[in-house]
Structure formats: structure tokens, C-alpha cells
Amino acid sequence: MPLVGTKEMFKKAYEGGYAIGAFNVNNMEIVQGITDAAAELRAPVILQCSAGARKYANHQYLVHLVKAALEVHPELPVALHLDHGADFETCKSRIDGGFTSVMIDGSHHSFEDNIAVTKKVVEYAHAHGVVVEGELGQLAGVEDDVNVSAEDAKYTHPEEVEEFVSRTGVDSLAIAIGTSHGAFKFTPAQCTLNEDGVLVPPELRFDILDEITKKLPNFPIVLHGASSVVPEYVKIINANGGKLDDAIGIPEDQLRKAARSAVCKINVDSDLRLALTAGIRQHFMEHPEHFDPRQYLTPARANIKAIVEHKIKNVLGCNNAY
């Protein structure tokens, strides 16, 4: 099966009460782990590339890694997506380079300027059979080239979404309802302690999501910054020389609730990084004599597959979706 867009994926996800996982890819092992898990569970998947991934691995390498995965799993529906396209030129180059979906992130602009740049990308993308994700509101946190302080973060205003979508023609909309980029999404001061002494972050703003859903019925919504910062992997990293104190993510039950609503795409990046790093750190502590990359990248890749399987079944709910 060739690379696909996300329109049909999102239509089925909306009707089925599940979300599609959009997993960031940076190297071969990550691509393999994600697609092996998705194929086994018959889950459509979005592989997305950030500016940092393209700088690290090169656009051509990433595209061909994804195409290789399609040769191994020809039945798997895969969309190749640009994550956080900074401007029209970046989106155009990825469209011309074979991506089937792009995100234009104009959220740091004024409302009118965001509409202008998003509309320009939509017109070019649709003329080339590519779908577009826009964004309203700004998430806090740091991830690759995205760096927004808590003070500058802004929730999406529901009263703006109808006008934004109608004037731009975007196919999906990323919103800000309390998720955040990176592994340190919240400070301890923003959280409460439960009876087990575990820090619990503030709940997502489902009231905002509900208002947006009313204004945009049957329209696919996207959540960025939605890693749960899996405590198991944080614990392994810290036990093997790492230092990730106070790493806090989004509770998975809240993400599952979002996936049952209008949210059709949930982005996952930090959890993949944590899984990979946990596998490598643990392997080196147990086998300090090893130096062959195949020795330590094998368990790291297995961790990628395991976390993606978990997300598909327990958070996204998209297993057996094709």
C-alpha cells in the first residue's frame, strides 16, 4: 500500500470513537518499532517528522525509512506527516518531497496572520492531494524547535475556531487544552499529590474541547504534547544513571477520554524517547562490556514496539481499525 493521507483515517476514527497515533520518527529503530506494533495490531498510523528529526536524519533518509517499512508491511495504512511546519516554504518542500500530510504552525502569529499563512499552505497542499493540519492556541513546553514558556502558552478560544476553519480550509485542527510539549510538562507546584504520593497534573480542559466540538461538528481535532511520560521508563532511566526528577506527563485515562470524543490524532514523541533511552541505559548497566550498537539498540527497539502497542490498545483504542 502506498502512503496515504489522513482524511479517511480521521473519518473512521471520529465515527469509531478512537484516535490515530502520530508518532515522531528519528531513526530506523523507531520506525521499525512503531510499524511492527501497528501492523500486528492492525492499527493505522501516522509517522511524523519534526524539524529536529529532519536536521538529524535528513529528509531523504526519513522518507526512505518509511517507504521501507511499507515494503515490510504492505497492508499497513501509513501517513507521512510534517510536524510543526514553521512556514509556507517548509510545508511546500515537504509536500514536494513526498509527505502526504503537513502541519502549518501559525499559532505564534496573530489570528489574521495565522489565517493567511495557513490558507496559503492549504491552497498549495490541496492542489497536490495533501491534507493540512492547522493550530489555534499555544502549548507550553520544549520539543525540538518548539519552545513556549508557561507564561506565553494560550488555551484555544472556542469562539475563533469556526472562522479559522472556514477561512483557511484546513482538514484538522490542533488545539490547546492543557497538554504540553516535552517530558517536563508540569512543575510540582502545578500538581497535587494523590494518596500514593504521586504527583497528579491538572485535568485537561474538556470544557474547551466540548465547546469546540459543538462549533465544529464531525471535524477532526488534534492533541499535541500528549505523551504520558511513562513512569516505568522514567524509573528505569533514573535507576541506571539518568536524572529525570519531576518528569510529569498527561494521564492516560484523560487521553483515552479525549480519543473517544472529537480528538482523532494524538501526538506521541517524548514517550518514545524515554522508552528508547531506558532500553539503552539498562542494557549498558547490565552489560558494560558491550559496544556493538546492535546489542543495545535491540532492546531499545523492543521498548519502542512495547510502548506503541500499549498506546494503541489502551490510550488510542485504534487496534483492529483496518
Side-chain angles (χ1 to χ4, degrees), residues 230-244:
V230 180
E232 172 193 351
Y233 292 131
V234 173
K235 185 177 180 181
I236 291 172
I237 291 169
N238 287 342
N240 290 281
K243 189 168 178 58
L244 290 176

Side-chain angles (χ1 to χ4, degrees), residues 209-254:
L209 176 58
D210 290 343
E211 282 299 309
I212 290 172
T213 302
K214 290 174 185 174
K215 293 181 181 296
L216 297 174
N218 302 311
F219 191 82
I221 300 300
V222 176
L223 287 187
H224 285 239
S227 284
S228 298
V229 188
V230 180
E232 172 193 351
Y233 292 131
V234 173
K235 185 177 180 181
I236 291 172
I237 291 169
N238 287 342
N240 290 281
K243 189 168 178 58
L244 290 176
D245 299 331
D246 299 329
I248 304 167
I250 309 299
E252 290 186 339
D253 60 335
Q254 293 189 38

